[in-house]
Coordinates of all heavy atoms in Angstrom, one line a residue:
L1 N 0.9 -1.2 0.0 CA 0.0 0.0 0.0 C 0.9 1.2 0.0 O 1.7 1.4 0.9 CB -0.9 0.0 1.2 CG -1.9 1.2 1.3 CD1 -2.9 1.1 0.2 CD2 -2.6 1.2 2.7
N2 N 0.7 2.1 -1.0 CA 1.6 3.3 -1.1 C 3.1 3.0 -1.1 O 3.8 3.6 -0.4 CB 1.2 4.3 0.0 CG -0.1 5.0 -0.3 OD1 -0.4 5.3 -1.5 ND2 -0.8 5.3 0.8
V3 N 3.5 2.0 -1.9 CA 4.9 1.7 -2.0 C 5.5 2.4 -3.1 O 4.9 2.7 -4.1 CB 5.1 0.1 -2.1 CG1 4.5 -0.6 -1.0 CG2 4.6 -0.4 -3.4
S4 N 6.8 2.7 -3.0 CA 7.5 3.4 -4.0 C 7.9 2.4 -5.1 O 7.9 1.2 -4.9 CB 8.8 4.0 -3.5 OG 9.7 3.0 -3.1
R5 N 8.2 3.0 -6.3 CA 8.7 2.1 -7.4 C 9.9 1.4 -7.0 O 10.1 0.2 -7.3 CB 8.9 2.9 -8.7 CG 9.3 2.1 -9.9 CD 9.6 3.0 -11.1 NE 10.0 2.1 -12.2 CZ 11.1 1.5 -12.4 NH1 12.1 1.8 -11.5 NH2 11.4 0.7 -13.4
E6 N 10.8 2.0 -6.3 CA 12.1 1.4 -5.9 C 11.9 0.2 -5.0 O 12.7 -0.7 -5.0 CB 13.0 2.5 -5.2 CG 13.5 3.6 -6.1 CD 12.4 4.5 -6.6 OE1 11.4 4.7 -5.8 OE2 12.6 5.1 -7.7
A7 N 10.8 0.3 -4.2 CA 10.6 -0.8 -3.2 C 9.6 -1.9 -3.7 O 9.4 -2.9 -3.1 CB 10.1 -0.3 -1.9
A8 N 9.0 -1.6 -4.9 CA 7.9 -2.4 -5.3 C 8.2 -3.9 -5.5 O 7.4 -4.8 -5.1 CB 7.3 -1.9 -6.7
L9 N 9.4 -4.2 -6.1 CA 9.7 -5.6 -6.4 C 10.0 -6.4 -5.1 O 10.0 -7.6 -5.1 CB 10.9 -5.7 -7.3 CG 10.7 -5.2 -8.7 CD1 11.9 -5.5 -9.6 CD2 9.4 -5.7 -9.3
D10 N 10.2 -5.7 -4.0 CA 10.4 -6.4 -2.7 C 9.0 -7.0 -2.2 O 9.0 -7.9 -1.3 CB 10.8 -5.4 -1.6 CG 12.2 -4.9 -1.9 OD1 13.0 -5.5 -2.6 OD2 12.5 -3.8 -1.3
H11 N 7.9 -6.7 -2.9 CA 6.6 -7.2 -2.5 C 6.2 -8.3 -3.4 O 5.1 -8.8 -3.3 CB 5.6 -6.1 -2.5 CG 5.8 -5.0 -1.5 ND1 5.1 -5.0 -0.3 CD2 6.7 -4.0 -1.5 CE1 5.5 -4.0 0.4 NE2 6.5 -3.3 -0.3
V12 N 7.1 -8.8 -4.3 CA 6.8 -9.8 -5.3 C 7.2 -11.2 -4.8 O 8.4 -11.3 -4.3 CB 7.4 -9.5 -6.7 CG1 7.2 -10.7 -7.6 CG2 6.8 -8.3 -7.2
L13 N 6.3 -12.2 -4.8 CA 6.7 -13.6 -4.5 C 7.4 -14.2 -5.7 O 8.4 -14.8 -5.6 CB 5.5 -14.4 -4.1 CG 5.8 -15.9 -3.9 CD1 6.7 -16.1 -2.7 CD2 4.5 -16.6 -3.7
G14 N 6.8 -14.0 -6.9 CA 7.3 -14.6 -8.1 C 6.5 -14.3 -9.3 O 5.6 -13.6 -9.3
Y15 N 6.9 -15.0 -10.4 CA 6.3 -14.8 -11.7 C 5.9 -16.1 -12.4 O 6.4 -17.1 -12.1 CB 7.4 -14.1 -12.6 CG 8.0 -12.8 -12.0 CD1 9.1 -12.9 -11.2 CD2 7.4 -11.6 -12.3 CE1 9.6 -11.7 -10.6 CE2 7.9 -10.4 -11.8 CZ 9.0 -10.5 -10.9 OH 9.5 -9.3 -10.4
C16 N 4.9 -16.0 -13.3 CA 4.3 -17.1 -13.9 C 3.7 -16.7 -15.3 O 3.6 -15.6 -15.6 CB 3.3 -17.8 -13.0 SG 1.9 -16.7 -12.5
V17 N 3.3 -17.8 -16.0 CA 2.6 -17.6 -17.3 C 1.1 -17.5 -17.0 O 0.6 -18.2 -16.2 CB 2.9 -18.7 -18.3 CG1 2.2 -18.4 -19.6 CG2 4.4 -18.9 -18.5
V18 N 0.5 -16.5 -17.7 CA -1.0 -16.4 -17.6 C -1.6 -16.3 -19.0 O -1.0 -15.6 -19.9 CB -1.4 -15.2 -16.8 CG1 -2.9 -14.9 -16.9 CG2 -1.0 -15.4 -15.3
N19 N -2.7 -16.9 -19.3 CA -3.5 -16.7 -20.5 C -4.7 -15.8 -20.1 O -5.6 -16.3 -19.5 CB -3.9 -18.0 -21.1 CG -4.6 -17.8 -22.5 OD1 -4.8 -16.7 -22.9 ND2 -4.9 -18.9 -23.1
D20 N -4.6 -14.5 -20.4 CA -5.8 -13.7 -20.1 C -6.8 -13.8 -21.2 O -7.0 -13.0 -22.1 CB -5.3 -12.2 -20.0 CG -6.4 -11.2 -19.8 OD1 -7.5 -11.6 -19.4 OD2 -6.2 -10.0 -20.1
V21 N -7.6 -14.9 -21.1 CA -8.5 -15.3 -22.2 C -9.6 -14.2 -22.2 O -10.1 -13.7 -21.1 CB -9.2 -16.6 -21.9 CG1 -10.1 -17.0 -23.0 CG2 -8.1 -17.7 -21.7
S22 N -10.1 -13.8 -23.4 CA -11.0 -12.7 -23.6 C -12.1 -13.1 -24.6 O -11.8 -13.8 -25.6 CB -10.3 -11.5 -24.1 OG -9.2 -11.1 -23.3
E23 N -13.3 -12.7 -24.3 CA -14.4 -12.8 -25.3 C -14.6 -11.4 -25.8 O -15.2 -10.5 -25.1 CB -15.7 -13.4 -24.6 CG -16.5 -14.2 -25.6 CD -17.1 -13.5 -26.8 OE1 -17.2 -12.2 -26.8 OE2 -17.3 -14.1 -27.8
R24 N -14.1 -11.1 -27.0 CA -14.1 -9.7 -27.5 C -15.5 -9.1 -27.7 O -15.6 -7.9 -27.5 CB -13.3 -9.6 -28.8 CG -11.8 -10.1 -28.6 CD -11.0 -9.3 -27.6 NE -9.6 -9.7 -27.7 CZ -8.7 -9.3 -26.8 NH1 -9.0 -8.5 -25.9 NH2 -7.4 -9.7 -26.9
A25 N -16.4 -9.9 -28.2 CA -17.8 -9.3 -28.4 C -18.3 -8.8 -27.0 O -18.9 -7.7 -26.9 CB -18.7 -10.3 -29.0
W26 N -18.2 -9.6 -26.0 CA -18.6 -9.2 -24.7 C -17.9 -8.0 -24.1 O -18.4 -7.2 -23.5 CB -18.5 -10.4 -23.7 CG -19.3 -11.6 -24.0 CD1 -20.3 -11.7 -25.0 CD2 -19.3 -12.9 -23.4 NE1 -20.8 -13.0 -25.0 CE2 -20.2 -13.7 -24.0 CE3 -18.5 -13.4 -22.3 CZ2 -20.5 -15.0 -23.6 CZ3 -18.7 -14.7 -21.9 CH2 -19.7 -15.5 -22.5
Q27 N -16.6 -8.0 -24.5 CA -15.7 -6.9 -24.0 C -16.0 -5.6 -24.6 O -16.1 -4.5 -24.0 CB -14.3 -7.3 -24.2 CG -13.3 -6.2 -23.8 CD -11.8 -6.5 -24.2 OE1 -11.6 -7.6 -24.7 NE2 -10.9 -5.6 -23.9
A28 N -16.2 -5.6 -25.9 CA -16.3 -4.3 -26.7 C -17.7 -4.0 -27.2 O -18.0 -2.8 -27.5 CB -15.4 -4.4 -27.9
E29 N -18.6 -5.0 -27.3 CA -19.9 -4.7 -27.9 C -21.1 -4.9 -27.0 O -22.2 -4.7 -27.4 CB -20.1 -5.7 -29.1 CG -19.0 -5.6 -30.2 CD -18.9 -6.8 -31.1 OE1 -20.0 -7.5 -31.2 OE2 -17.9 -7.0 -31.8
R30 N -20.8 -5.2 -25.7 CA -21.9 -5.3 -24.8 C -21.8 -4.3 -23.6 O -21.8 -4.6 -22.5 CB -21.8 -6.8 -24.2 CG -22.0 -7.9 -25.2 CD -23.4 -7.9 -25.8 NE -24.4 -8.2 -24.8 CZ -24.8 -9.4 -24.4 NH1 -24.2 -10.5 -24.9 NH2 -25.7 -9.5 -23.5
G31 N -21.6 -3.0 -24.0 CA -21.5 -2.0 -23.1 C -20.1 -1.5 -22.8 O -20.0 -0.6 -21.9
G32 N -19.1 -2.1 -23.4 CA -17.8 -1.6 -23.3 C -17.2 -1.9 -21.9 O -16.3 -1.1 -21.4
Q33 N -17.6 -2.9 -21.3 CA -17.1 -3.3 -19.9 C -16.1 -4.4 -20.1 O -16.4 -5.5 -20.3 CB -18.2 -3.7 -19.0 CG -19.2 -2.5 -18.8 CD -20.4 -3.0 -17.9 OE1 -20.2 -3.9 -17.1 NE2 -21.5 -2.4 -18.1
W34 N -14.8 -4.1 -19.8 CA -13.7 -5.1 -20.0 C -13.9 -6.3 -19.1 O -13.7 -7.5 -19.6 CB -12.4 -4.5 -19.8 CG -11.9 -3.6 -20.9 CD1 -12.7 -3.0 -21.9 CD2 -10.6 -3.2 -21.3 NE1 -12.0 -2.3 -22.7 CE2 -10.7 -2.4 -22.4 CE3 -9.4 -3.5 -20.7 CZ2 -9.5 -1.8 -22.9 CZ3 -8.2 -2.9 -21.2 CH2 -8.3 -2.1 -22.4
T35 N -14.3 -6.1 -17.9 CA -14.5 -7.2 -17.0 C -15.5 -8.2 -17.5 O -15.3 -9.4 -17.3 CB -14.9 -6.7 -15.6 OG1 -13.8 -5.9 -15.1 CG2 -15.1 -7.8 -14.6
K36 N -16.5 -7.7 -18.1 CA -17.6 -8.6 -18.7 C -17.0 -9.6 -19.7 O -17.4 -10.7 -19.7 CB -18.7 -7.7 -19.3 CG -19.9 -8.5 -19.7 CD -20.9 -7.5 -20.5 CE -21.4 -6.4 -19.6 NZ -22.3 -5.5 -20.3
G37 N -16.0 -9.2 -20.5 CA -15.4 -10.0 -21.5 C -14.3 -10.8 -21.0 O -13.6 -11.5 -21.8
K38 N -13.9 -10.8 -19.7 CA -12.7 -11.4 -19.2 C -13.0 -12.4 -18.1 O -12.1 -12.9 -17.5 CB -11.8 -10.3 -18.6 CG -11.4 -9.2 -19.6 CD -10.2 -9.7 -20.4 CE -9.6 -8.5 -21.3 NZ -8.4 -8.9 -21.9
S39 N -14.3 -12.6 -17.7 CA -14.6 -13.3 -16.4 C -15.3 -14.6 -16.5 O -15.8 -15.1 -15.5 CB -15.4 -12.3 -15.6 OG -14.6 -11.2 -15.2
F40 N -15.4 -15.2 -17.7 CA -16.0 -16.5 -17.8 C -15.1 -17.6 -17.1 O -13.9 -17.4 -17.0 CB -16.2 -16.9 -19.3 CG -17.3 -17.9 -19.5 CD1 -18.6 -17.6 -19.4 CD2 -16.9 -19.2 -19.9 CE1 -19.6 -18.5 -19.7 CE2 -17.9 -20.2 -20.2 CZ -19.2 -19.8 -20.1
P41 N -15.7 -18.7 -16.6 CA -14.9 -19.7 -16.0 C -13.7 -20.2 -16.9 O -13.9 -20.3 -18.1 CB -15.9 -20.9 -15.7 CG -17.2 -20.2 -15.5 CD -17.2 -19.0 -16.5
N42 N -12.6 -20.4 -16.3 CA -11.4 -20.9 -16.9 C -10.8 -19.9 -17.9 O -10.0 -20.2 -18.8 CB -11.6 -22.2 -17.7 CG -11.7 -23.4 -16.7 OD1 -12.1 -23.3 -15.6 ND2 -11.4 -24.6 -17.2
F43 N -11.1 -18.6 -17.7 CA -10.5 -17.5 -18.5 C -9.2 -17.0 -18.0 O -8.6 -16.0 -18.4 CB -11.5 -16.3 -18.6 CG -12.4 -16.4 -19.8 CD1 -12.7 -17.6 -20.4 CD2 -12.9 -15.2 -20.3 CE1 -13.5 -17.6 -21.6 CE2 -13.7 -15.2 -21.5 CZ -14.0 -16.4 -22.1
C44 N -8.6 -17.8 -17.0 CA -7.3 -17.3 -16.4 C -6.4 -18.6 -16.1 O -6.0 -18.8 -15.0 CB -7.5 -16.5 -15.2 SG -5.9 -15.6 -14.7
P45 N -6.0 -19.3 -17.2 CA -5.1 -20.4 -16.9 C -3.7 -19.8 -16.4 O -3.2 -18.9 -17.0 CB -4.9 -21.1 -18.3 CG -6.1 -20.7 -19.0 CD -6.5 -19.3 -18.5

């Protein structure tokens, strides 16, 4: 909370691969809400 850029990486446990799966019609054509197009089950391997 309110950490500096210089101290930021001290708060990281580690790194991994993510697939940010997206449904573009839901994201862009159903009210322009990104979360709506990003939140179906298994959309974050």
Side-chain angles (χ1 to χ4, degrees):
L1 181 65
N2 283 326
V3 300
S4 68
R5 183 183 180 281
E6 291 71 26
L9 296 187
D10 294 337
H11 294 260
V12 173
L13 173 66
Y15 303 88
C16 56
V17 182
V18 171
N19 186 358
D20 176 19
V21 185
S22 308
E23 212 300 332
R24 302 298 188 186
W26 295 352
Q27 177 185 356
E29 301 167 20
R30 300 293 298 274
Q33 298 177 28
W34 285 21
T35 298
K36 189 184 296 179
K38 303 276 190 172
S39 290
F40 203 74
N42 285 27
F43 266 26
C44 192

